[in-house]
Amino acid sequence: MLETIGGERGLSKTYADPSRRLELRYRPKDPFCHSLCGNRFPSNNLLLRVRRRVRKKDPRDVQLHMEVLGVIGTTYKFQGMADFQCLAVHSEDGRHTSLYDKVILRKSESQDFFEQRVPFFLPPPIFSRLDTPVDYFYRPDNRMRRNHNAIFVSFRDPMVPSECLEAARLNWQRACVKDSDTATEQSFRKMFESRPIWSRNAVKGNIDIHPEKLKLLLPLLAYYMVTGPWRSLWVRLGYDPRKTPEAKKYQILDFRIRCSTRHGYSLNDMPVKAKRSSLDYSLATTLNKLGPQAASVSELPQEGPSTSRHAMPVRHQLKESSYIFREGMLPPHRQMFYQLCDLQVDSIKKAIGRNKGEEKVCDERDGWCLPHTTDNLRDIISGMIKKLMPAKRRRSGLSILSKWTSYGEKAEGEEEDDDENGEDEEEEEEEAEEDEFQPSEGSENEMETEMLDYM
């Protein structure tokens, strides 16, 4: 019985990790056995020892002795189906031949073992991510979405709105219940008066506001551009960037870091991590977030003074690296959406202003810029990152080498002052911390259209 759940070692390893599910294998010695997974639940059960004594002369004389040994705080329940099982068997002409001795390496074998002809046996890497039945019934998606009443404008639309929808005004009036909300609205109006076009990250980097209230406030002052050089940006109501060459500096640049050996560095050399990955999904052995569960006796809070009144306020403001790019810095994510005015590099400003004063036609791809300007800007930023990457690798390598050198000198027995060594190590640690890239907290990596929030 104990072997089917991994033995004492496997059970202890699973119990030590609260995010894992307990695997049950009916054939523990079969590596192709598909396991059942048990969910972890907190419980308040009692562990009893029951002894039953029967008198030999009179079997009807029975005595029961019960003893409480302890409290069971964790219980694993196997609520899923047994699912599919895959056997290493080759079937042909009604005969079944086992392949375990041919596909499983049990000891050191010669070259002939690996060159023998074996029928194809390719078990699936994963059967199903769900082991509990769900009544789907192929019903349509009738989920209700909150309507925040934003106005969407395409580049080819002839007119832009000058006023917000009445429903958007009413929504904000219902949400604007504090003095801080009124002050935030005034700050918003000043921001759009000084700069008519903003990206969502730029707004978050200049003002501290709850995301839900931001969804209500933006439709009150601006409309959302869906296509064109100002796509995914919020434009002040009544302002048409297609008729004003000054709006060139507010255009959007979709930049993605190029990762390949052709550009001087590989994917593993990039300190900028991707937010999403094709391998980033929860396996069947990981614990899913379940509904509300009963509290355990061991998890009940201790009586004492409450510290909730001293809780730190939550800040929603982003760092400026989430929307600004300067020379000598790495983007916080592999895909970034910059406005041209937030690219604070002289060579980029020069490329943008090549046709300054000569803008005549607003193109849907390049806006008021010369053709292929966006491609040139991507090349400039990529070149700056390419020059920056070897320097960062070199500095990190030197810091590691210096540490190993100091350790070697110590091993040789050279006399050094302990205080000076401590200071040197602290300086090296500070340099290493400076060289290590720290992505900004709260920045967004994916291309979000924001349209689903307002539909």
Side-chain angles (χ1 to χ4, degrees):
M1 177 62 184
L2 190 59
E3 292 183 0
T4 59
I5 54 178
E8 185 177 352
R9 182 178 180 182
L11 181 61
S12 301
K13 186 176 180 181
T14 302
Y15 178 76
D17 187 359
S19 63
R20 293 194 63 85
R21 306 169 76 191
L22 183 62
E23 295 186 67
L24 170 63
R25 300 178 183 273
Y26 287 123
R27 306 185 306 279
K29 296 182 180 180
D30 184 0
F32 301 107
C33 178
H34 188 52
S35 62
L36 284 75
C37 294
N39 292 325
R40 179 173 180 155
F41 293 91
S43 60
N44 300 318
N45 302 327
L46 298 177
L47 178 61
L48 299 179
R49 174 188 290 171
V50 181
R51 294 179 178 178
R52 183 174 180 267
R53 293 183 177 181
V54 181
R55 190 180 297 273
K56 294 182 179 179
K57 296 181 180 180
D58 187 3
R60 293 177 296 180
D61 187 4
V62 178
Q63 294 181 352
L64 297 178
H65 298 276
M66 292 182 292
E67 180 184 0
V68 179
L69 300 181
V71 178
I72 301 176
T74 302
T75 303
Y76 289 92
K77 297 181 181 180
F78 295 87
Q79 301 170 320
M81 300 183 297
D83 211 342
F84 307 96
Q85 295 294 328
C86 188
L87 300 177
V89 174
H90 177 64
S91 301
E92 185 177 2
D93 298 334
R95 294 178 299 175
H96 305 286
T97 306
S98 175
L99 300 178
Y100 285 95
D101 295 334
K102 297 182 179 180
V103 298
I104 298 179
L105 187 63
R106 304 183 186 276
K107 59 180 180 179
S108 300
E109 299 287 353
S110 61
Q111 187 69 19
D112 298 336
F113 176 83
F114 300 97
E115 294 180 354
Q116 64 178 335
R117 297 182 62 85
V118 179
F120 286 111
F121 175 68
L122 300 175
I126 186 171
F127 290 89
S128 175
R129 292 176 58 186
L130 301 176
D131 53 5
T132 54
V134 178
D135 294 332
Y136 185 70
F137 296 128
Y138 294 95
R139 292 168 294 190
D141 188 4
N142 294 325
R143 293 177 296 176
M144 297 296 296
R145 297 187 181 273
R146 296 179 61 185
N147 192 355
H148 297 103
N149 302 288
I151 302 177
F152 300 101
V153 176
S154 176
F155 182 81
R156 298 181 182 274
D157 291 343
M159 302 292 294
V160 298
S162 58
E163 294 183 358
C164 68
L165 299 178
E166 184 63 24
R169 197 188 314 275
L170 295 176
N171 280 348
W172 176 247
Q173 289 179 358
R174 285 192 293 265
C176 184
V177 295
K178 300 180 181 179
D179 295 337
S180 58
D181 297 332
T182 305
T184 301
E185 180 184 352
Q186 295 176 357
S187 301
F188 248 67
R189 293 186 182 276
K190 292 180 180 179
M191 287 172 55
F192 276 94
E193 288 175 0
S194 61
R195 173 172 165 176
I197 305 177
W198 290 83
S199 66
R200 193 175 188 180
N201 275 359
V203 171
K204 291 182 178 180
N206 284 270
I207 195 169
D208 187 11
I209 182 175
H210 194 277
E212 293 300 323
K213 291 190 175 181
L214 178 63
K215 295 177 182 179
L216 299 176
L217 189 54
L218 280 173
L220 184 68
L221 305 175
Y223 62 90
Y224 187 82
M225 286 289 288
V226 181
T227 59
W230 296 277
R231 66 186 180 278
S232 73
L233 299 179
W234 291 91
V235 185
R236 186 180 66 202
L237 291 170
Y239 183 82
D240 193 349
R242 300 167 298 181
K243 300 180 180 179
T244 307
E246 296 177 356
K248 176 173 66 173
K249 59 183 178 181
Y250 303 122
Q251 293 178 194
I252 195 73
L253 175 67
D254 180 1
F255 174 75
R256 308 179 188 190
I257 298 180
R258 301 165 180 172
C259 299
S260 66
T261 54
R262 183 166 60 90
H263 296 97
Y265 46 84
S266 62
L267 192 64
N268 296 329
D269 296 330
M270 286 298 302
V272 184
K273 296 182 179 180
K275 189 173 183 181
R276 286 197 177 115
S277 172
S278 59
L279 301 178
D280 187 16
Y281 58 87
S282 58
L283 296 174
T285 56
T286 57
L287 182 65
N288 298 324
K289 292 184 179 180
L290 303 175
Q293 300 174 357
S296 174
V297 173
S298 59
E299 296 176 356
L300 292 178
Q302 301 293 330
E303 294 183 359
S306 175
T307 58
S308 59
R309 65 181 63 183
H310 302 290
M312 294 294 293
V314 179
R315 292 185 59 85
H316 306 282
Q317 188 170 353
L318 300 182
K319 296 182 179 180
E320 65 174 14
S321 60
S322 61
Y323 70 100
I324 291 179
F325 178 79
R326 294 190 181 93
E327 189 172 0
M329 67 178 293
L330 281 174
H333 299 289
R334 293 181 183 176
Q335 182 181 11
M336 297 294 299
F337 294 90
Y338 294 112
Q339 288 183 258
L340 300 187
C341 60
D342 294 327
L343 299 174
Q344 301 178 4
V345 180
D346 294 337
S347 57
I348 292 178
K349 294 180 179 179
K350 185 177 180 181
I352 297 173
R354 284 185 301 172
N355 63 335
K356 185 177 181 180
E358 300 178 358
E359 300 92 343
K360 296 181 180 180
V361 179
C362 182
D363 182 67
E364 185 173 0
R365 184 180 185 275
D366 294 291
W368 294 105
C369 297
L370 293 175
H372 306 292
T373 299
T374 54
D375 298 332
N376 296 333
L377 298 182
R378 294 188 184 102
D379 293 337
I380 294 174
I381 299 177
S382 298
M384 297 173 63
I385 295 176
K386 183 178 180 180
K387 293 179 181 178
L388 190 63
M389 286 300 301
K392 285 188 173 291
R393 289 202 301 268
R394 208 164 40 242
R395 287 200 298 270
S396 61
L398 288 174
S399 63
I400 296 173
L401 181 61
S402 62
K403 288 185 178 181
W404 279 105
T405 305
S406 63
Y407 296 154
E409 292 175 353
K410 271 188 170 182
E412 292 175 1
E414 295 185 3
E415 296 182 358
E416 296 180 358
D417 189 6
D418 294 339
D419 296 336
E420 293 180 358
N421 290 341
E423 293 177 358
D424 294 341
E425 291 178 0
E426 290 178 0
E427 291 177 358
E428 291 173 357
E429 289 178 359
E430 290 178 358
E431 292 178 359
E433 290 177 358
E434 292 178 358
D435 293 337
E436 184 180 0
F437 175 76
Q438 299 291 341
S440 63
E441 299 176 358
S443 298
E444 298 174 1
N445 180 30
E446 73 276 5
M447 181 180 180
E448 59 175 1
T449 61
E450 307 176 34
M451 297 177 66
L452 293 178
D453 292 335
Y454 299 93
M455 294 179 62

